[in-house]
Amino acid sequence: MRITKEKPVELLSKYGLYFVLLLLIVVSAILSPLFFSYSNIANLLTYNSFTGLLSLGMTFVILTGGIDLSVGSMVGFSSILYATMLHGAIFTFMPDNIFIYTGSPQLTPLFPQGINIVVVFLICSVFGFISGSISYKFRIHSFIVTLCFMIFIRGLAVSYTHGQPLFGMPEYINFIAYGTFLSIPMPAIIWLTASVFSIFLLRYTRFGRGIYAVGGDEEAARLSGIKSAIYRIMPFIFSAFFASLVGIMMSGRMACGDPKIAQGWELDAIAAVVIGGTSLFGGRGTIGGTVVGVLIIGLIINIMNLLEIDAYPQQMVKGVIIIAALALHNLLSGRRYS
Amino acid sequence: MNKGVPLLEAKGIVKQYPGVLALDKVDFDVFSGEVHCLAGENGAGKSTLIEIIGGSYKKDEGTIRINGTEVEFASPKEAQESGIAVLHQELPVLPYLSVAENIFLARQPRNKAGFVNYSEMYRQARKWLDIIQADINPRSLLGSLPMSKQQLVSIAKALSLDAKIIIFDEPSAVLTSVELKRLFEIIGSVKKEGKGIVYISHRLEEIFEIGDRVTVLRNGRLVGTRPIEEINRDTLIKMLVGREISEEVPTERKEIEDKAVLAVKGLCRKGIFEDISFTVNRGEILGVYGLVGAGRTEVIRVIVGADPLDEGEIYIENRRVRIKSPKDAIKYGICLAPEDRKQHGLILGKSVQENIVLPSLHRFKRSLFLDYGRMRSYTRKFVSSLRIVTPTLSQKVRFLSGGNQQKVVLAKWLGMEMKVFIFDEPTRGIDIGAKEEIRSLIRKLAEEGRAIIVISSEIPEIMSLSNRIVIMHNGRITGCLLREEATKEKLIAYSMGANHI
């Protein structure tokens, strides 16, 4: 019993994800000599770092058995909030009396530069705290609570400027959006750093282990002396925080605050988490899996781009592939304990 | 042996549930270095008592002392901190975490920087597992281990929590005999270290094998506490059963036609039950008695096609049939009123009418659509003939009393002209007046020539209903009695595994 050889099926279900990633990389390399070019890899990492960051927060939420549908809206909200703050206000309905829709390149930031970003993080995290607390306190499934928050926050975001983008971004934000470090794009660095941090948090702290315990069986966790409130609420704060980070990075890339961006991104994030092997019932899954899940979806899109498949049919392929991946995964893992 | 202050002393414990006095001034104590068995029939109050001691339920009256100091537990955690570990029959565990992590949940060893130190955690887990000589890898996922090993992990956890009192809640229900022997050895060695053990079981042989003292509860009352040397099997059975004789007068025995409707031969489902054979004749009520975990419900589930069958044959009116799904069973005229009617027998959020017509929906088709008028009159017929008390036919079943819910389950099948009716605990959770009503409905079904199987844990009920009684123990039939021969003592003796009386 001590050392048992793992059967091929078990190996496949355990490491299948990595095989798939490897397979996709090989396929991509064969399909196009451009795949391993610096610009393709850099683009691949940059474009996926946004979903990547969202899916990190989502992993925390899903590990406790919840779901966060509000992250897409949160990206839009944080983007417009940040832009508005750069123009000297924290909130404004119908802003024509303050500044024109197209914005003014003349920035009059509310706070000294870096502080504005911190305030955006704080406000969004408070929203995360509220949605998590409502779900916990009133025992409403987070699917419903965050669905309502998704609508509410998007509504709030478009109220700022009637849905118009607000132009004008400071210089330093370009570094986050477009800069490189050791020729690695900054968004990718932020994503991968956050991933490593999350892995560490989940694996090496009692807090992280508690997330697995509460998500696995709240009663078992309670009998071991774990109070579940913090484990149920914190993930929503993380999720909102990562969303606001993405919102600020996106603002930098577009050189404007846009309340309408990131619509439907929550679904991409959920798909990546689930492909990465995290159970929607909670208690099972890893950040590593999520990162691979993001890369798998990203590579599939990348391959289709390399094959010059039109963007619209790409969505169909994406939908089919996500279901196929999950069906295969469940077929294999269903046998694990039999 | 039992000297000084007991490790645990519960005095005058009272627990009242709506309508039931679950515990009536019960005393119980455990000394260091003894195994104190707790025995009693189903529903005698054993579980309630240990849940109170373990901090899961609150007592209404009485005191609990640990080492002579009075304590009041608000949560299982507080009981745990006072050195009490309850090993529940169905352990709440985290199957997707490692063995070590289950042992050290929320108190994982940490290094100086405050991070979880896995190698230290595995090392400590190894140490505790070695103490009970459990050959378990602390790194393997708990869910990948069989139940018996999971049980060993929780024993290791209890030891690592420095529990002074370890309570085993019917561990034998999930263990094989070899594993049980191993468990007894572990209990023996833990006992030598001065821990107090509470061992709950309704298997007599186990009580005599490991017990130092035994306390018997009956109907929430303390019957007595005796050192094991002072009693034998017969006195223990007498304590368990009490002196009173069956309260209910058996109804007149009607001649049963010797015409088998349902016969099963050598049914076997590996590891759950084996070699189950019985027949039910036309107009006969066959009672199936046994303690919780004897395998009664599992046998029934196979007959109605809810679980697969490993071996054995099922005959309907002397014709061999293969039942692969509940749909097959219904086709052959077998229906089940399940024990957990709220979960398996009814759709609580739907109306009386919708529940009653559900299995016979196909009969109300009129071309493409359903004939609601006919459905209504059909429902009304059963509501009046079974005297289902409901304000309207569209009342949600959730709001009916237990007795009326059971009647709705019955009505579902009555219209289908079933041949075999199986009732699993038909009167559980139903108040006393309605119980008798349900019983007389069951008798009426039999008189109308149907074959009936009734599973019940209530001896008076099974004696008053059945023409014949089959008794199960540990997945086997240990006895089959005609009603005339059946006595409460015999039923209990067989159900506890006695082979002869």
Side-chain angles (χ1 to χ4, degrees):
Chain A
M1 186 67 207
R2 190 72 58 85
I3 300 153
T4 44
K5 265 211 165 143
E6 290 187 279
K7 296 184 198 97
V9 173
E10 285 171 8
L11 273 176
L12 202 59
S13 79
K14 210 166 167 184
Y15 301 109
L17 213 58
Y18 301 92
F19 292 143
V20 172
L21 184 66
L22 212 65
L23 188 77
L24 284 171
I25 291 174
V26 171
V27 168
S28 311
I30 293 170
L31 280 176
S32 168
L34 293 177
F35 177 76
F36 275 123
S37 67
Y38 169 76
S39 65
N40 189 49
I41 299 285
N43 275 337
L44 186 70
L45 288 175
T46 306
Y47 285 125
N48 286 299
S49 57
F50 304 110
T51 328
L53 282 166
L54 293 183
S55 62
L56 288 184
M58 194 66 77
T59 308
F60 282 96
V61 174
I62 293 181
L63 275 176
T64 58
I67 202 146
D68 188 352
L69 297 177
S70 66
V71 290
S73 299
M74 197 69 82
V75 172
F77 169 69
S78 57
S79 174
I80 193 68
L81 173 67
Y82 181 53
T84 309
M85 285 179 67
L86 292 174
H87 286 88
I90 206 157
F91 177 72
T92 165
F93 263 121
M94 309 305 120
D96 25 27
N97 53 352
I98 300 178
F99 43 81
I100 45 171
Y101 284 130
T102 48
S104 133
Q106 239 51 52
L107 295 179
T108 49
L110 194 60
F111 301 110
Q113 291 298 357
I115 309 285
N116 293 300
I117 297 182
V118 175
V119 173
V120 172
F121 288 163
L122 277 178
I123 292 177
C124 290
S125 300
V126 167
F127 274 119
F129 171 76
I130 294 173
S131 62
S133 305
I134 290 176
S135 169
Y136 176 75
K137 195 86 192 163
F138 298 104
R139 295 170 184 281
I140 308 171
H141 194 278
S142 48
F143 184 92
I144 304 296
V145 177
T146 58
L147 180 70
C148 297
F149 266 70
M150 172 176 110
I151 301 164
F152 174 84
I153 289 170
R154 184 69 73 183
L156 177 64
V158 292
S159 299
Y160 268 77
T161 56
H162 251 170
Q164 299 300 312
L166 185 58
F167 288 91
M169 282 288 146
E171 279 295 314
Y172 65 87
I173 207 80
N174 278 338
F175 178 64
I176 297 179
Y178 288 105
T180 57
F181 180 73
L182 301 174
S183 58
I184 306 169
M186 270 319 279
I189 288 181
I190 294 174
W191 170 36
L192 296 174
T193 313
S195 302
V196 170
F197 178 78
S198 303
I199 289 172
F200 196 79
L201 183 70
L202 277 176
R203 179 137 180 88
Y204 290 105
T205 65
R206 282 191 187 167
F207 173 77
R209 304 318 292 167
I211 286 200
Y212 281 98
V214 169
D217 185 332
E218 198 159 358
E219 178 63 8
R222 192 180 70 87
L223 289 176
S224 297
I226 289 176
K227 290 205 172 73
S228 56
I230 184 170
Y231 301 95
R232 289 238 178 263
I233 295 170
M234 265 319 250
F236 289 92
I237 299 178
F238 289 169
S239 184
F241 166 77
F242 283 124
S244 59
L245 180 59
V246 170
I248 286 169
M249 287 160 65
M250 287 301 292
S251 308
R253 284 193 78 81
M254 300 178 303
C256 69
D258 185 346
K260 284 186 169 169
I261 50 163
Q263 300 198 25
W265 285 19
E266 60 278 346
L267 301 180
D268 286 341
I270 293 167
V273 172
V274 173
I275 285 186
T278 298
S279 160
L280 281 174
F281 298 106
R284 234 179 351 149
T286 58
I287 293 286
T290 297
V291 171
V292 174
V294 171
L295 288 174
I296 287 178
I297 296 184
L299 273 172
I300 291 168
I301 302 285
N302 191 245
I303 289 176
M304 291 193 287
N305 283 337
L306 292 172
L307 290 176
E308 297 178 347
I309 295 176
D310 196 56
Y312 294 121
Q314 281 193 11
Q315 296 187 6
M316 292 162 46
V317 176
K318 203 163 114 186
V320 170
I321 282 184
I322 291 171
I323 289 187
L326 291 182
L328 190 67
H329 178 261
N330 285 0
L331 269 181
L332 294 175
S333 63
R335 281 188 221 149
R336 198 175 297 169
Y337 293 140
S338 62
Chain B
M1 168 184 60
N2 303 334
K3 285 183 191 99
V5 186
L7 278 179
L8 169 84
E9 187 181 25
K11 257 200 146 60
I13 304 293
V14 175
K15 178 74 188 175
Q16 174 89 42
Y17 289 121
V20 195
L21 192 58
L23 289 175
D24 185 6
K25 297 211 177 64
V26 171
D27 301 337
F28 186 77
D29 56 11
V30 192
F31 287 87
S32 163
E34 74 159 346
V35 176
H36 192 160
C37 293
L38 186 57
E41 281 185 70
N42 298 336
K46 297 170 294 186
S47 301
T48 312
L49 181 61
I50 61 145
E51 293 297 350
I52 286 172
I53 293 172
S56 289
Y57 297 168
K58 288 210 168 59
K59 58 189 184 320
D60 295 334
E61 278 173 46
T63 54
I64 296 178
R65 282 169 207 280
I66 303 257
N67 279 326
T69 334
E70 190 170 340
V71 288
E72 193 78 42
F73 299 137
S75 70
K77 176 121 197 277
E78 289 184 23
Q80 228 172 58
E81 281 160 0
S82 302
I84 296 174
V86 183
L87 273 54
H88 290 273
Q89 206 180 102
E90 288 190 5
L91 303 156
V93 293
L94 294 159
Y96 295 110
L97 293 184
S98 69
V99 166
E101 200 145 11
N102 269 280
I103 294 176
F104 291 108
L105 198 60
R107 49 192 187 95
Q108 293 96 335
R110 289 188 288 196
N111 60 21
K112 281 194 196 105
F115 298 118
V116 176
N117 185 341
Y118 279 85
S119 53
E120 176 65 14
M121 183 166 82
Y122 291 135
R123 199 185 60 74
Q124 289 190 20
R126 175 83 273 149
K127 187 185 81 186
W128 292 111
L129 289 166
D130 281 344
I131 286 177
I132 56 170
Q133 295 169 17
D135 182 19
I136 297 170
N137 184 351
R139 289 164 194 263
S140 41
L141 292 186
L142 192 69
S144 67
L145 303 178
M147 270 311 282
S148 56
K149 293 208 166 168
Q150 296 190 12
Q151 183 113 36
L152 295 180
V153 172
S154 16
I155 296 173
K157 178 172 185 168
L159 294 176
S160 77
L161 280 164
D162 198 21
K164 305 284 186 304
I165 300 146
I166 304 178
I167 303 176
F168 292 87
D169 186 4
E170 299 191 20
S172 49
V174 293
L175 301 184
T176 65
S177 55
V178 180
E179 290 162 350
L180 194 62
K181 202 166 151 261
R182 184 83 206 81
L183 177 67
F184 284 175
E185 287 167 23
I186 292 167
I187 290 179
S189 69
V190 171
K191 179 174 112 168
K192 276 200 208 93
E193 287 168 21
K195 315 255 187 218
I197 311 288
V198 180
Y199 189 91
I200 299 176
S201 178
H202 44 225
R203 297 192 193 171
L204 300 185
E205 59 267 42
E206 290 173 14
I207 295 174
F208 283 102
E209 188 173 342
I210 62 154
D212 295 310
R213 284 190 301 159
V214 57
T215 287
V216 175
L217 297 181
R218 192 168 66 232
N219 296 331
R221 250 164 289 170
L222 180 70
V223 178
T225 301
R226 300 266 154 48
I228 223 82
E229 317 79 77
E230 289 177 17
I231 56 167
N232 58 31
R233 241 182 136 83
D234 293 339
T235 43
L236 185 53
I237 289 178
K238 205 163 273 169
M239 282 172 80
L240 286 161
V241 180
R243 242 174 284 117
E244 79 263 40
I245 324 144
S246 162
E247 312 79 351
E248 292 186 42
V249 192
T251 47
E252 259 173 64
R253 183 173 156 83
K254 177 172 71 79
E255 276 310 303
I256 304 291
E257 296 173 66
D258 200 12
K259 222 168 121 186
V261 178
L262 171 75
V264 299
K265 290 206 177 101
L267 295 190
C268 169
R269 192 160 148 68
K270 289 208 177 70
I272 300 170
F273 56 80
E274 53 190 300
D275 197 20
I276 302 292
S277 307
F278 57 78
T279 2
V280 201
N281 294 319
R282 210 174 118 79
E284 183 182 40
I285 302 177
L286 177 74
V288 181
Y289 181 73
L291 296 163
V292 172
R296 298 168 299 168
T297 303
E298 289 76 3
V299 169
I300 294 311
R301 283 179 61 84
V302 164
I303 295 176
V304 300
D307 288 335
L309 180 62
D310 287 339
E311 267 169 54
E313 293 152 15
I314 301 177
Y315 296 87
I316 297 283
E317 291 172 335
N318 298 321
R319 204 159 53 86
R320 173 135 191 226
V321 295
R322 276 171 214 283
I323 297 172
K324 294 209 177 67
S325 67
K327 200 175 164 192
D328 289 346
I330 292 170
K331 190 176 81 194
Y332 293 121
I334 307 173
C335 65
L336 169 69
E339 175 178 4
D340 188 351
R341 33 176 191 278
K342 294 190 177 165
Q343 227 180 11
H344 300 133
L346 292 167
I347 306 172
L348 289 179
K350 292 282 176 196
S351 70
V352 173
Q353 171 166 321
E354 283 169 296
N355 271 285
I356 291 181
V357 300
L358 191 61
S360 37
L361 216 49
H362 58 276
R363 293 208 267 146
F364 299 99
K365 258 198 285 196
R366 197 171 54 190
S367 69
L368 274 178
F369 304 103
L370 287 170
D371 184 343
Y372 271 83
R374 251 188 330 127
M375 269 156 65
R376 211 167 304 123
S377 59
Y378 173 86
T379 311
R380 200 168 287 134
K381 190 179 85 193
F382 285 114
V383 166
S384 65
S385 71
L386 298 180
R387 272 178 284 157
I388 299 176
V389 182
T390 173
T392 64
L393 299 186
S394 49
Q395 173 77 321
K396 292 211 170 86
V397 167
R398 183 192 307 281
F399 301 114
L400 299 186
S401 71
N404 284 307
Q405 286 181 350
Q406 187 65 283
K407 289 182 193 170
V408 171
V409 176
L410 205 53
K412 266 173 70 172
W413 301 117
L414 278 177
M416 302 270 293
E417 281 142 30
M418 290 288 172
K419 294 175 196 137
V420 182
F421 277 76
I422 303 175
F423 293 92
D424 195 353
E425 303 285 358
T427 65
R428 173 161 295 172
I430 292 176
D431 45 77
I432 296 170
K435 276 187 179 183
E436 199 41 51
E437 210 180 333
I438 296 286
R439 285 182 199 136
S440 61
L441 278 171
I442 294 175
R443 285 190 201 100
K444 205 168 133 229
L445 284 176
E447 278 161 26
E448 288 167 10
R450 293 182 177 89
I452 314 265
I453 299 175
V454 175
I455 296 181
S456 178
S457 302
E458 291 178 41
I459 292 181
E461 172 167 289
I462 214 144
M463 302 252 289
S464 83
L465 276 174
S466 318
N467 304 105
R468 266 187 311 137
I469 301 169
V470 163
I471 301 110
M472 285 185 67
H473 168 73
N474 222 354
R476 286 172 164 281
I477 291 182
T478 46
C480 180
L481 301 167
L482 286 174
R483 181 171 48 208
E484 294 80 9
E485 331 170 301
T487 62
K488 199 167 179 178
E489 288 76 8
K490 281 188 192 169
L491 285 184
I492 288 184
Y494 280 128
S495 74
M496 299 214 171
N499 304 314
H500 60 90
I501 301 180

